[in-house]
Each structure stands twice: as C-alpha cells, then as structure tokens.
Amino acid sequence: MSLALDPAAQDLLFREARTANTFTDEPVTDEQVQAIYDLVKYGPTAFNQTPLRITLVRSPEARERLVRHMAEGNRPKTAAAPLVAILSADNEFHEELPHLFPAMPQVKDLFFTERPVRENAATLNAALQAAYFIVGVRAAGLAAGPMTGFDFEGVRKEFLDDDHTPLMVVNIGRPGPDAWYPRSPRLEFDQVVTTV
C-alpha cells in the first residue's frame, strides 16, 4: 500500500531531511514562520490544549544571552543560525481551554485545576507540537536543528517565566556547507510494532 502523500513530499519531510548543523546566512522571515505556524497549528493535542509557545530569538543581544546557556558544542551553530526558536510549554494553557475546546468548556475545571497535572499535560502536548513544528520547518523548505543541550533553568530565567517550561532550542535556516552528519540507522518495522 502506498501513502497518499507525494513521494517528493515524503522525502522533503522525512526521508531526505536531516538535523542541520550549519546554515547559510539567508534570513528566515516572519512571513515564513507565520506560514509554518499556520500549517502546524492543526496538529492534534489532547482537548486541543495547544500549550506550545515559541520565542523567536532575533536580536544580536538576545542571541548572545541564549548562546551563553547552550552546551559548548551547540554554541557555534546557535550563534550562526539565521533564526533560533525557543520552544516551551505553557503550564497555564488551561486558561485558553474554554475558547479552544468549546465542545466541553468545563474541561478546564474538571481536569486541570492542579499545577502538576497541567505541567505533565503541557509537556507531553507541547512536545507533540514541537515535532509538528520541526516538520513544518521542513515543509517550508528550510532545515531545523533541534537541540536539548542547554541549561534549561538558565533559559527559563533568561527568556521565559515560572509558567513556561523550555523544551528545546531549534536553529532554523537553509542548510550550509557540510550541514549533515551521515544518516544514522533506524529501527525496522518489526522491531517497534507488536500486534496483540
């Protein structure tokens, strides 16, 4: 059985896509980021929580502040990428639920009154959205370099607040010279799928 998605699109989004480690200096525009978001916002989350928040790091001053919190090996590529996004989970996402989930406006008070419950839900669902975001970057013809090698608490204090949990930092742009490591192996179907 074949997939409904065109093979070239399959390659763009998955087969040929890699985590980029170098980028050209071609800018990534606000219009491109808007188009990415307008596509990926339709990815599913539980109760349509949509807890992902995106902080675009554009100014040289903000970039310097971020680079200080990156792991040593991630600093040069974060300093050089045309655009860097901090993806975080909004732990107060429940305040938007009456609007985002009108089929059950009381869901906010039924399930999400306790902060630990919200944090768990926000982390899981924002991570789903982060994956959609990476695929959306690829759909825009750009490359993404997602990283979790950074001081999470330092980034939270520097760019966010107590209601937001950083998940990853994503470098975004057109791939530069020697952008890719060799493709790493993947597990095969029968190694991950069990039928019961």
Side-chain angles (χ1 to χ4, degrees):
M1 179 178 167
S2 63
L3 299 173
L5 191 64
D6 175 283
Q10 295 173 36
D11 288 343
L12 177 70
L13 299 179
F14 295 101
R15 289 193 199 101
E16 299 299 324
R18 303 279 197 286
T19 295
N21 293 290
T22 68
F23 298 90
T24 69
D25 58 3
E26 181 180 333
V28 177
T29 67
D30 288 338
E31 292 77 20
Q32 287 172 299
V33 177
Q34 176 82 48
I36 291 165
Y37 179 74
D38 286 343
L39 174 65
V40 304
K41 69 183 178 183
Y42 295 107
T45 57
F47 297 112
N48 199 31
Q49 291 172 22
T50 61
L52 181 71
R53 300 297 178 262
I54 303 166
T55 303
L56 299 178
V57 181
R58 286 209 181 271
S59 74
E61 298 79 18
R63 184 73 62 102
E64 285 180 28
R65 288 168 33 221
L66 177 60
V67 167
R68 285 196 303 262
H69 296 290
M70 300 304 294
E72 182 96 15
N74 292 333
R75 289 178 182 170
K77 53 190 170 186
T78 302
L83 179 63
V84 182
I86 300 168
L87 305 188
S88 63
D90 181 357
N91 297 308
E92 296 299 307
F93 69 87
H94 68 304
E95 296 297 344
E96 302 290 339
L97 284 177
H99 166 70
L100 292 173
F101 199 65
M104 191 179 178
Q106 71 275 23
V107 71
K108 168 187 167 187
D109 299 317
L110 286 175
F111 297 111
F112 300 111
T113 57
E114 296 178 19
R115 175 70 179 233
V117 172
R118 288 197 308 273
E119 288 178 354
N120 287 338
T123 298
L124 172 63
N125 287 280
L128 281 173
Q129 288 186 282
Y132 305 146
F133 181 80
I134 292 165
V135 173
V137 168
R138 294 171 173 180
L142 301 170
M147 301 168 292
T148 56
F150 62 91
D151 175 0
F152 280 70
E153 186 60 18
V155 167
R156 187 192 63 73
K157 286 181 178 177
E158 190 83 41
F159 293 96
L160 306 170
D161 59 32
D162 289 340
D163 291 329
H164 293 80
T165 303
L167 299 173
M168 67 182 67
V169 172
V170 183
N171 295 329
I172 304 168
R174 299 236 180 251
D178 302 316
W180 322 116
Y181 295 139
R183 170 69 84 186
S184 295
R186 297 298 193 266
L187 295 175
E188 295 301 324
F189 179 84
D190 60 357
Q191 294 177 284
V192 297
V193 176
T194 304
T195 303
V196 294

